[in-house]
């Protein structure tokens, strides 16, 4: 597995996988799995949050740098200009000038190392690590949003296509009804009113068809945003995903693994560590410092050098209350994150309940709508036969036709709601990820970049050059 796959590598891998599985065969339609793969590989939102995670990874290296030696150099160039008086003389005759005009340079090399600070820096490092873990879980949460949106977009196109097909069929049927009404009017079986009713119903059907065509265009545009490409021929949705039947067990599982909850848990831990860090910074710290300096004066043989090594002790006694305020601020942030944890748990449990409620409702609607379709079909056929014998009016036939189309539309809408609700249950329980769905994609490794930068590699080191190659690969298309 490539440590940090680029977008180009993603595309090559996905194309090979899909071809091997027959997903991209010219004669096969696009499946829901294809749509999810496209959303995972081409989502700008995922790319954005992966960059946010890489920035959090760098914070660990920045925090660790305080525990490593700091080496600096300084250089000075000085020119002395002024009059000078010989040693021991008290009087300089008028008109006599004596001056100095010397140029000197100095170079200093200074190195320092923090030895002990009561754990203040180490607590900051651990807090940065917890922030990284929280950001990783936020990335998982975004991944769930991206995949759920892909399901919604896929089912939205299928729904729009089916509703447009119903509208087209309705226009064809009503066109035939209008023709039949006109023929019956010619022989005197119906009145002009019946013909006008058929004409009005056909005009209304054509209006609904235009609306459904617009809905399909909108659904396709949403699909392109969610998936990254225009929809082709879409296959009917597959079987519903396996879902926990017990709502209480689903809630318990969601509390354990939902990325939103895990994110806040790590944020609470980071806040606790920052409190300890800010408290430790109020205590003394010990460091070792060494320096080497070289000074040379041009125009003379005078030069000097010096070197020193020492241990420094220090403590901030008073800083206008900033240190104490920092401790109080971190405690308040810790308390806020704890409160956020309770809120997040409640929200996740409620989301699970809502998702199961919508799922049950969609199933009930499908059953009811299918029974309605069967009954409306029988009623429409019977009324039309009776109308041909003169026992029913044109208005009754048109009403039966409208009831049948509404029932068919209800089935289509309920089926779409059922699939979106099923995948919403997976998202609510923290299971709507590429890995959990076993999508044929190269799973993004959130720890890969962290492992490269956690120790702060120098730019010209072997690790630094490797990191530069990775960064260049990430920036390509």
């Amino acid at each position: 597995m490539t440590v940090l796959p680029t977008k180009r590598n993603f595309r090559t891998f996905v194309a090979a996988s899909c071809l091997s599985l027959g997903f991209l065969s010219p004669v096969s339609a696009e499946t829901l799995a294809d749509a999810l793969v496209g959303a995972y590989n081409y989502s700008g939102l995922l790319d954005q949050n992966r960059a946010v995670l890489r920035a959090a990874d760098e914070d660990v290296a920045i925090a660790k740098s305080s525990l490593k030696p700091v080496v600096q150099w300084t250089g000075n160039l000085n020119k002395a200009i002024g009059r000078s008086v010989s040693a021991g003389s008290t009087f300089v005759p008028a008109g006599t000038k004596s001056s100095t005009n010397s140029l000197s340079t100095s170079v200093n090399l200074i190195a320092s190392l923090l030895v002990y600070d009561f754990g203040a820096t180490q607590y900051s490092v651990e807090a940065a690590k917890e922030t990284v873990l929280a950001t990783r879980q936020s990335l998982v949460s975004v991944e769930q949003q991206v995949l759920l949106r892909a399901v919604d977009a896929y089912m939205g196109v299928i729904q729009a296509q089916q509703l447009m097909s119903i509208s087209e069929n309705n226009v064809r049927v009503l066109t035939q009804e209008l023709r039949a009404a006109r023929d019956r009017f010619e022989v005197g079986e119906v009145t002009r009113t019946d013909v006008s009713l058929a004409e009005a119903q056909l005009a209304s059907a054509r209006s609904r068809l235009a609306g459904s065509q617009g809905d399909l265009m909108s659904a396709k545009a949403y699909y392109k945003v969610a998936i990254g490409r225009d929809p082709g021929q879409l296959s009917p949705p597959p079987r519903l995903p396996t879902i926990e039947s017990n709502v209480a067990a689903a809630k318990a599982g969601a509390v354990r693994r939902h990325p939103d909850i895990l994110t806040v848990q790590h944020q609470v831990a980071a806040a606790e560590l920052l409190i300890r860090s800010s408290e430790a910074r109020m205590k003394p710290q010990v460091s070792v410092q060494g320096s080497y300096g070289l000074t040379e004066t041009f125009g003379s043989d005078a030069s000097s050098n010096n070197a020193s090594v020492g241990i420094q002790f220090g403590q901030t006694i008073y800083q206008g209350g900033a240190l104490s305020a920092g401790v109080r601020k971190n405690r308040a942030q810790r308390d806020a994150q704890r409160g956020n944890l309770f809120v997040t748990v409640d929200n996740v449990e409620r989301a699970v309940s809502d998702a199961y409620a919508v799922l049950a409702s969609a199933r009930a609607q499908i059953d009811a709508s299918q029974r309605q379709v069967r009954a409306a079909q029988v009623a429409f056929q019977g009324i039309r036969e009776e109308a041909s014998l003169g026992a029913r009016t044109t208005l009754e036939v048109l009403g039966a036709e409208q009831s049948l189309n509404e029932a068919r539309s209800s089935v289509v809408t309920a089926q779409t709601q059922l699939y979106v609700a099923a995948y919403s249950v997976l998202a609510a329980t923290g299971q709507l990820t590429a890995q959990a769905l076993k999508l044929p994609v190269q799973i993004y490794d959130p720890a890969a970049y962290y492992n490269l930068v956690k120790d702060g590699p120098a730019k010209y080191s072997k690790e630094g050059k490797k990191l530069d190659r990775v960064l260049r690969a990430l920036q390509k298309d």
Side-chain angles (χ1 to χ4, degrees):
M1 179 182 293
T2 304
V3 176
L4 277 169
T6 65
K7 292 181 181 178
R8 184 171 298 167
N9 289 336
F10 269 138
R11 294 171 184 169
T12 302
F13 177 86
V14 171
S17 301
C18 291
L19 285 172
S20 65
L21 294 173
F23 287 164
L24 298 183
S25 172
V27 297
S28 65
E30 187 173 356
T31 65
L32 178 58
D34 296 335
L36 293 173
V37 167
Y40 184 84
N41 288 338
Y42 297 98
S43 170
L45 188 59
L46 280 175
D47 288 340
Q48 172 193 347
N49 283 271
R50 287 166 183 167
V52 171
L53 175 58
R54 293 196 297 273
D57 293 340
E58 296 289 359
D59 285 337
V60 176
I62 293 171
K64 281 186 174 182
S65 67
S66 298
L67 296 173
K68 298 178 181 180
V70 178
V71 181
Q72 299 172 305
W73 69 270
T74 61
N76 295 292
L77 184 63
N78 299 311
K79 185 176 182 180
I81 301 176
R83 298 182 62 184
S84 64
V85 179
S86 300
S89 63
T90 60
F91 174 74
V92 177
T96 302
K97 296 182 179 179
S98 177
S99 64
T100 61
N101 192 346
S102 61
L103 181 66
S104 63
T105 182
S106 63
V107 178
N108 298 283
L109 185 65
I110 304 171
S112 61
L113 175 65
L114 177 66
V115 177
Y116 187 69
D117 63 352
F118 289 87
T121 301
Q122 189 60 47
Y123 286 136
S124 296
V125 172
E126 296 303 319
K129 290 180 179 179
E130 290 292 338
T131 301
V132 167
L133 296 176
T135 310
R136 288 182 187 177
Q137 293 301 324
S138 296
L139 178 60
V140 175
S141 183
V142 171
E143 179 182 338
Q144 291 204 136
Q145 296 172 24
V146 168
L147 295 180
L148 183 59
R149 187 173 65 168
V151 173
D152 186 38
Y154 186 90
M155 294 305 302
V157 172
I158 290 180
Q159 175 183 340
Q161 289 174 337
Q162 292 178 344
L163 291 178
M164 190 179 74
S165 177
I166 292 174
S167 296
E168 290 173 339
N169 182 67
N170 190 31
V171 169
R172 285 193 298 269
V173 171
L174 290 175
T175 300
Q176 295 172 359
E177 292 291 341
L178 176 58
R179 188 180 301 114
R182 286 172 176 170
D183 292 341
R184 293 172 67 188
F185 174 73
E186 292 295 333
V187 298
E189 293 183 4
V190 296
T191 66
R192 182 62 189 174
T193 301
D194 294 304
V195 176
S196 297
L197 286 171
E199 290 174 344
Q201 195 75 358
L202 177 58
S204 177
R206 286 173 175 165
S207 176
R208 288 194 295 272
L209 175 59
S212 63
Q213 290 171 339
D215 291 340
L216 178 58
M217 292 178 61
S218 177
K220 288 182 176 180
Y222 178 50
Y223 184 97
K224 185 174 183 179
V225 171
I227 310 302
R229 59 177 181 271
D230 291 321
Q233 181 183 355
L234 302 185
S235 298
R239 289 188 311 171
L240 289 174
T242 303
I243 296 173
E244 173 66 55
S245 58
N246 188 296
V247 179
K251 287 183 179 180
V255 171
R256 291 194 305 271
R257 63 174 170 261
H258 197 281
D260 288 353
I261 293 178
L262 297 179
T263 296
V264 182
Q265 287 176 341
H266 288 300
Q267 289 172 341
V268 170
E272 291 279 4
L273 290 165
L274 288 176
I275 293 174
R276 299 180 185 180
S277 176
S278 58
E279 290 174 341
R281 292 190 187 283
M282 301 177 70
K283 299 177 181 179
Q285 67 176 22
V286 182
S287 61
V288 176
Q289 187 174 58
S291 64
Y292 175 80
L294 175 63
T295 302
E296 183 172 351
T297 301
F298 295 97
S300 69
D301 295 333
S303 64
S304 63
N305 60 72
N306 59 80
S308 65
V309 177
I311 299 178
Q312 290 186 341
F313 304 86
Q315 180 181 8
T316 301
I317 299 175
Y318 180 72
Q319 196 178 355
L323 295 177
S324 299
V327 174
R328 295 192 299 271
K329 175 183 175 180
N330 288 328
R331 286 175 179 168
Q333 290 177 335
R334 185 269 317 273
D335 294 341
Q337 292 297 347
R338 284 178 175 176
N340 187 29
L341 180 58
F342 288 113
V343 172
T344 303
V345 170
D346 290 341
N347 289 340
V348 167
E349 290 182 339
R350 179 181 176 182
V352 173
S353 298
D354 290 347
Y356 271 94
V358 173
L359 181 64
S361 175
R363 284 172 172 164
Q365 288 178 11
I366 287 179
D367 291 338
S369 298
Q370 288 174 342
R371 287 194 297 269
Q372 183 183 1
V373 167
R374 290 192 293 268
Q377 182 70 42
V378 172
F380 172 66
Q381 291 174 349
I383 290 174
R384 188 166 57 178
E385 289 294 332
E386 293 172 0
S388 65
L389 300 175
R392 294 284 186 173
T393 65
T394 301
L395 181 60
E396 290 175 309
V397 174
L398 297 176
E401 168 69 11
Q402 183 63 28
S403 296
L404 177 58
N405 286 327
E406 290 176 353
R408 288 171 175 169
S409 298
S410 296
V411 171
V412 171
T413 302
Q415 287 175 339
T416 300
Q417 292 176 345
L418 176 64
Y419 271 87
V420 174
Y423 282 93
S424 295
V425 169
L426 293 182
T429 54
Q431 301 176 86
L432 188 59
T433 63
Q435 186 170 8
L437 296 176
K438 298 180 180 179
L439 296 179
V441 296
Q442 190 167 4
I443 303 297
Y444 182 83
D445 184 1
Y449 188 85
Y450 174 83
N451 292 332
L452 288 175
V453 303
K454 64 180 180 180
D455 294 321
K459 181 174 179 59
Y460 299 106
S461 66
K462 180 179 179 181
E463 294 79 6
K465 292 178 180 178
K466 181 179 179 182
L467 180 58
D468 286 341
R469 290 194 298 270
V470 169
L471 289 173
R472 286 194 296 270
L474 286 170
Q475 293 168 358
K476 290 181 180 178
D477 39 70

